[in-house]
């Protein structure tokens, strides 16, 4: 081993030791000096940009990666690392710009990353094409099953419910006990009007992830459609308990469940909250009038 190589390895080891001790700025200083001495060693830029990321200094991390990318844009490893930096930091458009130049047959995972970025931008058709590209070139990766989850979500967004179920079925190999896959099934059956079919998967989703608010919202809607008003009320209340900004629509549905359970005063209170949140909510206004009418009739008949 040459003296220069020995010194380089020694300093990298020093930087790693500082990093493991949480002394990140010391580590940054070493890598900066190493880059000055060895401006062509790409790994040093990767290590330093990673430290900047840990320190929350994203501009420095990005500038460093841009520096080596601009010097060698044909280098696939640099492009891949740069693209993943953007992915980690939710810079979806930038990730797509950088990664789209790598062909899926060269690096199939890139198609997964690009698909995910399009998905996060709500560009569902583009996301779908990228995930299908990924699956066509990648057979072994565990990400294939995850790609099927995203394809199911995309088809659900596009209201292609039969396709949603087909992709969900393919994802079951690894994800049968994943709460979100069960929620996808429940939401698909709900959207198709197959409310009874939606019960088992939504209950499984709740069991698998009881801290997730959205499963209670969907369960409330399902049980409301099935006229199981007590269960609907219970799930809507659980949902409301777990999130801060509840929509006028949810309070309206909760009020409807109470009204159907003959909890008229509770229904009026929830219709009032719904109208306070959205004075234009016609369903809440009609429901409140109906509740008052029932209350008045009850008073008259009691009298």
């Amino acid at each position: 081993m040459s003296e220069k190589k020995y010194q380089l390895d020694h300093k990298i080891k020093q930087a790693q030791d500082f990093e493991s001790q949480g002394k990140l700025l010391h580590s940054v200083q070493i890598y900066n000096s190493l880059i000055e001495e060895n401006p062509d060693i790409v790994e040093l830029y990767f290590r330093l940009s990673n430290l900047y990321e840990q320190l929350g200094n994203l501009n420095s991390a990005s500038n460093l990666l841009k520096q080596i990318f601009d010097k060698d844009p044909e280098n696939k490893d640099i492009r891949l690392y740069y693209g993943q930096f953007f992915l980690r930091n939710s810079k979806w458009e930038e990730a797509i710009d950088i990664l789209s130049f790598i062909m899926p047959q060269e690096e199939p995972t890139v198609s997964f990353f690009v698909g995910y970025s399009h998905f996060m931008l709500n560009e569902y058709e583009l996301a779908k094409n990228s995930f299908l590209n990924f699956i066509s070139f990648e057979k072994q990766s565990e990400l294939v099953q995850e790609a099927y989850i995203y394809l199911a979500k995309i088809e659900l967004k596009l209201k292609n419910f039969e396709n949603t179920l087909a992709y969900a079925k393919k994802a079951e190999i690894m994800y049968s006990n994943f709460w979100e896959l069960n929620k996808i099934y429940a939401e698909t059956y709900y959207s198709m009007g197959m409310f009874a079919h939606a019960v088992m998967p939504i209950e499984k989703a709740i069991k698998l992830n009881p801290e997730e608010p959205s499963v209670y919202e969907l369960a409330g809607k399902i049980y409301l459609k099935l006229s199981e008003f007590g269960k609907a009320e219970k799930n809507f209340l659980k949902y409301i308990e777990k999130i801060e900004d509840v929509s006028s629509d949810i309070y309206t549905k909760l009020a409807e469940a109470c009204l159907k359970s003959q909890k008229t005063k509770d229904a009026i209170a929830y219709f009032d909250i719904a109208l306070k949140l959205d004075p234009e909510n016609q369903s809440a206004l009609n429901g409140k009038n109906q509740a008052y009418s029932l209350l008045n009739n009850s008073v008259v008949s009691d009298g």
Side-chain angles (χ1 to χ4, degrees):
M1 182 187 289
S2 71
E3 179 66 21
K4 188 176 180 183
K5 177 77 167 69
Y6 174 80
Q7 286 184 350
L8 175 68
D9 289 347
H10 177 67
K11 284 186 177 176
I12 288 174
K13 174 74 167 58
Q14 263 189 319
Q16 288 174 318
D17 288 345
F18 279 132
E19 187 178 350
S20 65
Q21 293 164 28
K23 297 176 180 176
L24 302 188
L25 292 174
H26 289 68
S27 192
V28 164
Q29 286 176 332
I30 292 173
Y31 282 123
N32 269 317
S33 67
L34 284 175
I35 285 170
E36 280 181 31
E37 295 162 17
N38 308 273
D40 297 325
I41 299 180
V42 169
E43 182 196 348
L44 297 173
Y45 293 83
F46 289 169
R47 288 175 180 272
L48 180 54
S49 72
N50 181 52
L51 282 170
Y52 281 137
E53 247 187 292
Q54 290 182 61
L55 288 162
N57 192 345
L58 298 184
N59 282 339
S60 293
S62 181
N63 291 338
L64 195 67
L65 292 174
K66 186 177 188 305
Q67 189 182 327
I68 53 165
F69 176 75
D70 288 345
K71 276 202 298 188
D72 190 5
E74 300 301 313
N75 186 313
K76 193 172 72 176
D77 290 336
I78 294 173
R79 187 177 284 275
L80 196 55
Y81 195 93
Y82 196 20
Q84 287 176 294
F85 165 80
F86 286 128
L87 279 173
R88 284 195 301 278
N89 293 288
S90 306
K91 304 282 187 185
W92 312 120
E93 289 171 356
E94 292 89 339
I96 292 165
D97 286 344
I98 293 294
L99 294 172
S100 292
F101 284 88
I102 300 175
M103 294 296 101
Q105 54 267 41
E106 290 179 56
E107 193 69 55
T109 310
V110 164
S111 287
F112 184 94
F113 293 151
V114 171
Y116 181 75
S117 299
H118 281 303
F119 179 83
M120 296 305 289
L121 291 167
N122 301 327
E123 296 170 350
Y124 297 122
E125 290 290 354
L126 291 169
K128 180 176 169 179
N129 290 339
S130 292
F131 283 123
L132 288 173
N133 260 340
F134 169 69
I135 288 166
S136 70
F137 287 106
E138 181 59 81
K139 305 300 177 191
Q140 304 302 320
S141 168
E142 288 182 9
L143 283 177
V144 171
Q145 300 299 314
E146 198 171 334
Y148 284 130
I149 292 268
Y150 281 107
L151 284 165
K153 287 184 185 181
I154 288 162
E155 296 291 14
L156 183 55
K157 294 281 187 186
L158 297 173
K159 302 190 188 308
N160 299 327
F161 301 127
E162 295 296 340
N163 289 349
T164 306
L165 294 174
Y167 285 127
K169 192 76 182 164
K170 288 184 175 182
E172 269 189 23
I173 295 168
M174 277 182 62
Y175 286 96
S176 61
N177 285 324
F178 179 45
W179 73 271
E180 200 168 10
L181 179 61
N182 287 280
K183 189 192 168 203
I184 288 167
Y185 272 121
E187 198 170 340
T188 306
Y189 288 132
Y190 176 81
S191 299
M192 294 171 81
M194 300 168 69
F195 307 120
H197 282 72
V199 171
M200 190 181 292
I202 199 57
E203 287 296 346
K204 188 172 179 182
I206 289 169
K207 189 176 178 183
L208 289 167
N209 191 1
E211 296 309 311
E212 169 57 38
S214 67
V215 290
Y216 297 104
E217 178 189 14
L218 182 54
K221 290 178 179 178
I222 291 164
Y223 284 122
L224 190 60
K225 288 289 188 183
L226 289 168
S227 301
E228 294 194 37
F229 303 118
K231 288 183 180 179
E233 179 189 355
K234 176 185 154 194
N235 280 286
F236 285 133
L237 286 171
K238 196 84 177 169
Y239 171 70
I240 288 166
E241 176 191 308
K242 288 187 173 293
I243 71 162
E244 286 180 21
D245 299 317
V246 181
S247 70
S248 175
D249 178 60
I250 292 299
Y251 276 110
T252 303
K253 285 181 164 55
L254 172 58
E256 286 169 8
C258 289
L259 191 59
K260 298 282 189 180
S261 298
Q262 298 180 338
K263 297 178 178 179
T264 314
K265 288 181 180 174
D266 287 347
I268 290 169
Y270 292 131
F271 280 130
D272 277 337
I273 296 171
L275 287 164
K276 191 173 180 183
L277 290 168
D278 177 13
E280 303 298 312
N281 185 334
Q282 199 59 48
S283 296
L285 188 59
N286 294 341
K288 183 179 174 181
N289 290 336
Q290 185 188 352
Y292 269 119
S293 176
L294 287 170
L295 201 60
N296 291 333
N297 288 341
S298 170
V299 169
V300 169
S301 62
D302 288 349

